[in-house]
Amino acid sequence: MLNPQQLEAVRYLDGPLLVLAGAGSGKTSVITQKIAHLIKSGLYATHEIAAITFTNKAAREMRERAARLLGEGASDSLTVSTFHALGMRFLEAEHAQVGLRRGFSILGEDDARALIKDLAPKGVSNDVLDRWRQLIGRAKSQGLNPEQALAASQTPREREAAEIYASYAQRLTAFNAVDFDDLIALPVRVLEGDAEVRAKWQRKFRYLLVDEYQDTNDAQYRMLRLLAGDRGMFTAVGDDDQSIYAWRGANPENLTELGRDYPSLKIVKLEQNYRCAQRILRAANAVIGQNPHLHPKQLWSALPDGDPIRVVARSSDADEAEFVAAEITHRQLVDKCRPRDFAVLFRGNHQARALELAMRALKVPYHLSGATSFFDRQEIKDVMAYLRLLSNPEDDAAFVRAVATPRRDIGAGTLEKLATAARGRNLPLAKAAGSPALLTTLAPRAARALSAFSERLEHWRKLSTSVRPRALIEQLIRDTGLTQHWREHSQNPQQAERRQQQVQAFLEWIGERRETSLSQLLTQLMLESQDDEPGDRARLMTLHSAKGLEFRHVFLVGLEDGILPHVSSLDEGRLDEERRLFYVGMTRAKETLTLSYCRVRTRYGREETPEPSRFLSEIPAAEVRWVGKGEKVHKTVEEQQRAARPHLDAIKALLGA
């Protein structure tokens, strides 16, 4: 059942529409209901509609909801995808327009970084490499080619990045590859420069729906503008109060830009919240009301007030973590909650360690979001590169990673020469490496290394048809010397041992699979690598990761000036975005919200006495219950234990200990 504002947004079909959807206001329902309305109106066929969002999870949920509304099979031709997936679809169709061959590769972040490292002068630190990668991505999102990026550079670091950008782009072209930023930047370049292609894609997608519009960067906005054209038949759904990704290029000013580009833009506000207790909303409204607004909103809820928001002062970060873990345990036992009902949110990943220790101590099952996925570990990706190459000899990105891991007297310059020659003959790199005619153009030592690698590839490819995947991988690891490579490139013996354990776990996982062919296994690997479902566990996550989620009980920890708001935001004048981040955290809570800070925090081996976050003072006093505010800062171990004992004893009694 839609409320009047939701219904208005669904039924409006007369032109461009911006839906300002507050937290918990049912925006996904509006989008999926509108898809159904567009089709049932008879004005649009299913294949003429594209719904665009930012995550694969959100796209899956949107597609599933649309399928339930439209009925079995009726949504099959509907396009529901991320911006990057849509860009990939575009490039697969228009690859020749940007000088790519069919079957081009997409470089992951670590492969892109490795490529930049190969191009960089010796001795450049990892921090500088990461900054260059970030600046190159930003230039692409702004539609700047290497020459334009160099002209626009204002600092020495930006000039360095622009210079590397030119070589990086050349290397990508030679390898018939793109990075994730290219999946948006290249389609934008084609759509802007080719009126015929632009008209074709405007006919293809006659109506667009864009979720989380406030998170679009410049390139994504231009992509939307080019696809929508002057007709402007689209619905953009967003919330300026939840714009928290400026650090990765998101531009909340796109909300304003939309009104300038489309003067007939209609605006509908969704202000009824279906998630939070009314008290939480009043507090959140008061906080976010401190920010300037182009389109002010006042969220409200028909739900009861609920419990007061607790603001808890603890003596240290370890004490804070123990308090959270004990509270979760207590609520599970007394209120019959499940672990999945709880979320612990924090500003930075460094805050997770104390929380993990406390959760383990009290045996609270938890899931740490944002931790490195098993399939994203370097050693697993190294093995996967070989498997991908054996399954698909035209996977140039896999070839580049495999031939360089471990090193085989084949440098970046050699690979670029090989790629240039291969490109001239329209050959994938793996096939070019096995061509005697092409190898004669290279230095003898490099040519011999490439020839030997090609022979090995052929041997492993034949082996893959006669043995099960686990046996193949074990043989690959022995033949390539990967174990020694991982050992040599580990920071210490402990890391080397962990890597070996990860590979062993991977082999055991492979051995349990039913898939007998390499292609079947790789398909399953790709599916499972995307699966990071937390199950019935408490969630530990950054505030940025929590956006779009909701939980019965939320703990927001580390609320101190310097952490939230972050010290860099205070120096750089980005307080408004930090306040939006706090607002996002507050509005994840359905029933209870607990805010905590430390009176003493240990950072970099030193004790600090931080000030409570200034955002806490923006919450109306009537909505808050302060706990421990006036207690002594420094307590002895005995005092801490004595204060905690009644609570812990109660928990033990409930557990029957």
Side-chain angles (χ1 to χ4, degrees):
M1 186 74 178
L2 299 177
N3 66 39
Q5 291 74 33
Q6 291 174 326
L7 199 59
E8 183 182 13
V10 167
R11 291 179 175 174
Y12 184 77
L13 301 178
D14 295 336
L17 172 67
L18 172 61
V19 180
L20 292 170
S25 62
K27 65 180 178 65
T28 304
S29 294
V30 167
I31 292 172
T32 51
Q33 290 278 0
K34 183 146 196 176
I35 291 170
H37 182 65
L38 287 165
I39 295 167
K40 291 174 181 178
S41 71
L43 296 174
Y44 298 92
T46 309
H47 67 271
E48 295 176 322
I49 300 168
I52 310 167
T53 187
F54 277 84
T55 67
N56 290 318
K57 183 179 179 182
R60 282 196 304 272
E61 182 185 356
M62 198 178 292
R63 176 173 286 283
E64 288 165 1
R65 288 202 194 186
R68 287 197 294 270
L69 286 172
L70 294 170
E72 189 69 30
S75 65
D76 290 351
S77 61
L78 176 69
T79 295
V80 183
S81 75
T82 63
F83 271 102
H84 289 93
L86 184 63
M88 178 67 179
R89 180 174 172 181
F90 181 96
L91 290 179
E92 285 174 340
E94 311 293 346
H95 57 89
Q97 297 285 338
V98 292
L100 291 168
R101 300 193 311 276
R102 194 177 301 278
F104 60 88
S105 302
I106 303 172
L107 295 191
E109 275 303 309
D110 57 340
D111 289 327
R113 187 174 177 274
L115 190 55
I116 290 172
K117 186 174 183 177
D118 277 338
L119 295 166
K122 298 293 182 187
V124 175
S125 71
N126 289 335
D127 287 345
V128 172
L129 292 173
D130 289 340
R131 182 59 177 157
W132 285 351
R133 175 74 187 94
Q134 184 184 29
L135 289 169
I136 290 170
R138 184 175 297 177
K140 289 184 178 185
S141 74
Q142 294 171 345
L144 303 177
N145 62 32
E147 293 77 20
Q148 292 166 330
L150 186 60
S153 61
Q154 296 180 345
T155 67
R157 189 71 76 229
E158 289 177 351
R159 284 192 292 276
E160 292 166 357
E163 289 165 358
I164 290 290
Y165 179 13
S167 303
Y168 176 68
Q170 183 180 336
R171 191 68 58 83
L172 284 175
T173 300
F175 290 165
N176 194 40
V178 296
D179 62 21
F180 274 96
D181 296 310
D182 288 325
L183 295 178
I184 308 297
L186 293 178
V188 167
R189 185 190 305 173
V190 175
L191 289 167
E192 286 181 337
D194 193 317
E196 187 176 333
V197 173
R198 184 167 65 250
K200 179 176 75 174
W201 283 82
Q202 288 174 356
R203 289 193 300 271
K204 185 177 184 67
F205 297 128
R206 294 180 56 229
Y207 201 97
L208 300 169
L209 302 103
V210 183
D211 193 15
E212 303 288 4
Y213 177 75
Q214 78 282 346
D215 293 335
T216 56
N217 60 27
D218 293 340
Q220 289 160 340
Y221 176 67
R222 287 159 67 193
M223 188 179 193
L224 167 65
R225 178 77 175 82
L226 289 159
L227 289 173
D230 294 334
R231 290 176 65 248
M233 300 307 293
F234 64 81
T235 295
V237 182
D239 182 8
D240 51 341
D241 290 334
Q242 297 187 74
S243 179
I244 58 174
Y245 294 118
W247 54 274
R248 71 182 189 193
N251 184 5
E253 290 298 314
N254 286 344
L255 288 164
T256 305
E257 198 69 25
L258 204 60
R260 295 194 190 108
D261 287 340
Y262 294 95
S264 63
L265 180 72
K266 182 178 177 63
I267 297 174
V268 175
K269 296 180 184 179
L270 305 184
E271 296 175 295
Q272 183 174 0
N273 174 287
Y274 295 91
R275 173 190 302 157
C276 307
Q278 181 64 33
R279 187 189 302 275
I280 294 171
L281 284 184
R282 287 199 299 267
N285 284 336
V287 170
I288 204 63
Q290 302 293 318
N291 277 3
H293 286 82
L294 182 66
H295 304 290
K297 299 187 301 298
Q298 194 72 13
L299 295 191
W300 63 276
S301 173
L303 298 171
D305 265 12
D307 296 338
I309 298 167
R310 288 187 301 169
V311 180
V312 180
R314 305 304 295 186
S315 60
S316 66
D317 51 351
D319 182 34
E320 180 184 47
E322 289 164 7
F323 161 77
V324 170
E327 281 287 302
I328 292 174
T329 303
H330 180 75
R331 277 196 175 271
Q332 284 186 81
L333 294 166
V334 174
D335 299 337
K336 306 302 181 188
C337 298
R338 305 288 302 186
R340 63 172 175 261
D341 293 330
F342 300 89
V344 187
L345 311 181
F346 39 83
R347 179 63 175 83
N349 282 313
H350 66 277
Q351 297 169 260
R353 184 173 177 273
L355 291 162
E356 285 196 88
L357 292 173
M359 294 289 183
R360 289 172 184 172
L362 285 183
K363 296 181 171 54
V364 178
Y366 71 91
H367 177 272
L368 178 60
S369 299
T372 303
S373 162
F374 178 77
F375 295 96
D376 283 335
R377 297 184 184 278
Q378 182 178 326
E379 56 274 16
I380 305 302
K381 291 187 123 180
D382 289 341
V383 175
M384 289 284 290
Y386 283 93
L387 300 183
R388 287 165 45 200
L389 185 57
L390 293 178
S391 177
N392 177 18
E394 295 195 359
D395 190 334
D396 285 351
F399 177 89
V400 170
R401 184 169 189 135
V403 81
T405 313
R407 290 285 186 184
R408 297 180 170 84
D409 295 323
I410 304 167
T414 296
L415 284 175
E416 186 170 355
K417 288 179 183 176
L418 178 70
T420 302
R423 189 174 184 81
R425 292 165 174 78
N426 201 30
L427 293 173
L429 290 176
K431 191 153 186 181
S435 168
L438 287 183
L439 292 180
T440 58
T441 63
L442 304 176
R445 187 175 178 181
R448 286 194 297 272
L450 279 168
S451 181
F453 182 66
S454 295
E455 291 172 6
R456 283 288 182 91
L457 279 179
E458 188 56 34
H459 168 71
W460 295 323
R461 193 168 288 116
K462 289 177 180 176
L463 187 65
S464 70
T465 63
S466 60
V467 303
R468 293 185 66 87
R470 174 166 180 167
L472 171 66
I473 296 169
E474 289 173 333
Q475 186 69 49
L476 272 169
I477 291 172
R478 284 195 297 271
D479 290 350
T480 57
L482 277 170
T483 300
Q484 181 65 22
H485 169 80
W486 294 324
R487 190 178 297 120
E488 291 173 353
H489 288 77
S490 296
Q491 294 178 351
N492 50 55
Q494 292 77 21
Q495 187 185 47
E497 180 62 26
R498 284 196 300 272
R499 284 181 165 175
Q500 193 58 43
Q501 290 171 354
Q502 293 292 342
V503 173
Q504 188 58 40
F506 181 64
L507 287 169
E508 291 171 2
W509 183 87
I510 294 287
E512 295 168 357
R513 312 308 303 171
R514 295 181 179 179
E515 295 81 14
T516 56
S517 75
L518 193 55
S519 61
Q520 289 174 336
L521 176 67
L522 282 169
T523 299
Q524 193 60 31
L525 276 168
M526 293 300 292
L527 291 173
E528 298 205 20
S529 67
Q530 302 299 317
D531 185 17
D532 189 32
E533 292 300 316
D536 190 14
R537 291 179 283 176
R539 300 289 294 276
L540 310 184
M541 61 176 66
T542 65
L543 286 158
H544 287 98
S545 301
K547 189 164 171 291
L549 304 178
E550 59 183 40
F551 305 91
R552 288 180 63 190
H553 308 289
V554 169
F555 296 83
L556 216 169
V557 303
L559 289 173
E560 302 141 29
D561 273 2
I563 294 181
L564 185 69
H566 193 271
V567 63
S568 64
S569 72
L570 300 175
D571 296 337
E572 298 168 11
R574 293 186 287 103
L575 195 62
D576 288 353
E577 180 161 345
E578 292 290 292
R579 185 177 284 110
R580 291 195 292 269
L581 194 57
F582 182 46
Y583 171 83
V584 165
M586 295 176 75
T587 53
R588 299 312 94 194
K590 298 168 70 174
E591 298 177 20
T592 71
L593 176 62
T594 302
L595 313 173
S596 64
Y597 66 93
C598 301
R599 291 186 294 273
V600 176
R601 183 174 294 277
T602 302
R603 301 187 72 183
Y604 310 111
R606 299 194 308 269
E607 282 194 348
E608 300 176 353
T609 53
E611 290 292 320
S613 172
R614 64 193 67 195
F615 297 148
L616 294 173
S617 64
E618 297 173 358
I619 303 174
E623 315 298 351
V624 173
R625 179 163 64 87
W626 290 79
V627 181
K629 188 177 182 182
E631 293 180 11
K632 181 169 68 172
V633 171
H634 290 283
K635 290 184 177 182
T636 66
V637 172
E638 291 79 11
E639 288 174 324
Q640 290 184 41
Q641 290 175 342
R642 194 160 51 247
R645 195 168 291 131
H647 194 58
L648 292 174
D649 287 347
I651 290 172
K652 288 179 179 179
L654 288 164
L655 289 169

